[in-house]
Amino acid sequence: MTPSLTIGLLLTLAIGGIALYLITPRRYESADSVAQSYDEWTEDGILEFYWGEHIHLGHYGSPPRRKDFLAAKSDFVHEMVRWGGLDKLPHGMTVLDVGCGIGGSARILAKDYSFDVTGITISPQQVKRAQELTPTDVTAQFQVDDAMALSFPDASFDVVWSVEAGPHMPDKAIFAKELLRVLKPGGILVVADWNQRDDRQIPLNFWEKPVMRQLLDQWSHPAFSSIEGFSELLEATGLVEGKVVTADWTEPTLPSWLDSIWQGIARPAGLVKFGLPGFIKSLREVPTLLLMRIAFGAGLCRFGMFRAVRAES
C-alpha cells in the first residue's frame, strides 16, 4: 500500500470514528448511567473549564442582553433566590440542593445568603470536586444521594432547591413527592427545569418528535415533563399549600445555548489543555446544543420555574 493510500485510509478511519462517536446515543438506562456520565465530565474537567462552577443555564435578563457567560450563570442563582422569595428568609435556614453539580449554586446560597446548605448528586466525582472547591468557612456540605429515594427523614429542610435535575428523573411523580417529603411544613420548594411543551394541549408534530427523541437520547434523559404536568404532580402529592406558582424563563435563559458553543471558540486554550480527545468530546455536544436552541426557541421546550409551600401538618 502506498503512503498516500495509507494516509487516506487512516484519515477515513479517523473521520468515520469521529462521526460514529458524534452520533452514538447516550440513552438513559438507570441512575448509574447518569452518574457515570457526570463522573466522566467531572474527572476530565472539560465541562468545568468551559461552564465554570455552575452546570446550568445563565440568566440574561428580560429582554435578554449581552452578558458574560459565567456571570449570567451566577446571576441565575440570584434571580432564582429573589423569584422564590428566599432572600426574605432569615440567616441559618437549612437548604437541600437537589442535583447540586459541583456546588456552584450551593456556595452562593451559603456565602451570599448565609444558609446552611446540603448539596446532593448521584455522581461521586461531583461530590469530590464540590468539596475541593468549597472553602472550610462556607456552610455547604455535599454527599452522594438519589433524588428518587432521598436518604433524609421527613421534614428535614426549610428550603428545597433544584436546578435542571428533573429531566434525569424516570418517574416525575416520585421525584415531586420526594422533594416535598423532606421539606418542613411551611418550607419553600423552588425548582428550575427544562420542560417539554404540554403535548396534551398541542401534540408534537412530525419534526418535533425526532428532535425530542434526540434530546432525550443524547444526555441520558428518560423524559421531560411539561410545566403544567409537573405542577399537577406536585399538587397531587397533597403536600402543597394552595397552588404551585410557575413561570416561564425561556426568554432570559435562551442565549445560554449558543453562548456555550461560543466558549469553545472564544477560549482556544481548551484545545491545548485537553488535546484532540477533548476537542472531539466537546465537538460531540455541539449538535445537541444547537437542537436545544432550536427546541427552546421554537416552543417545543420551555424553561419552567416552580415555587410551592409545604402544607402544615
Side-chain angles (χ1 to χ4, degrees), residues 226-248:
S226 65
I227 293 176
E228 297 82 358
F230 192 63
S231 297
E232 292 166 9
L233 291 176
L234 289 169
E235 292 175 2
T237 64
L239 300 174
V240 173
E241 179 182 288
K243 302 291 288 183
V244 174
V245 177
T246 65
D248 187 334

Side-chain angles (χ1 to χ4, degrees), residues 136-150:
T136 56
D137 61 343
V138 173
T139 54
Q141 57 184 331
F142 305 93
Q143 66 184 64
V144 175
D145 207 349
D146 186 348
M148 297 293 292
L150 292 167

Side-chain angles (χ1 to χ4, degrees), residues 28-41:
Y28 176 87
E29 296 174 3
S30 66
D32 289 340
S33 65
V34 177
Q36 181 180 354
S37 178
Y38 279 111
D39 277 350
E40 291 173 358
W41 278 109

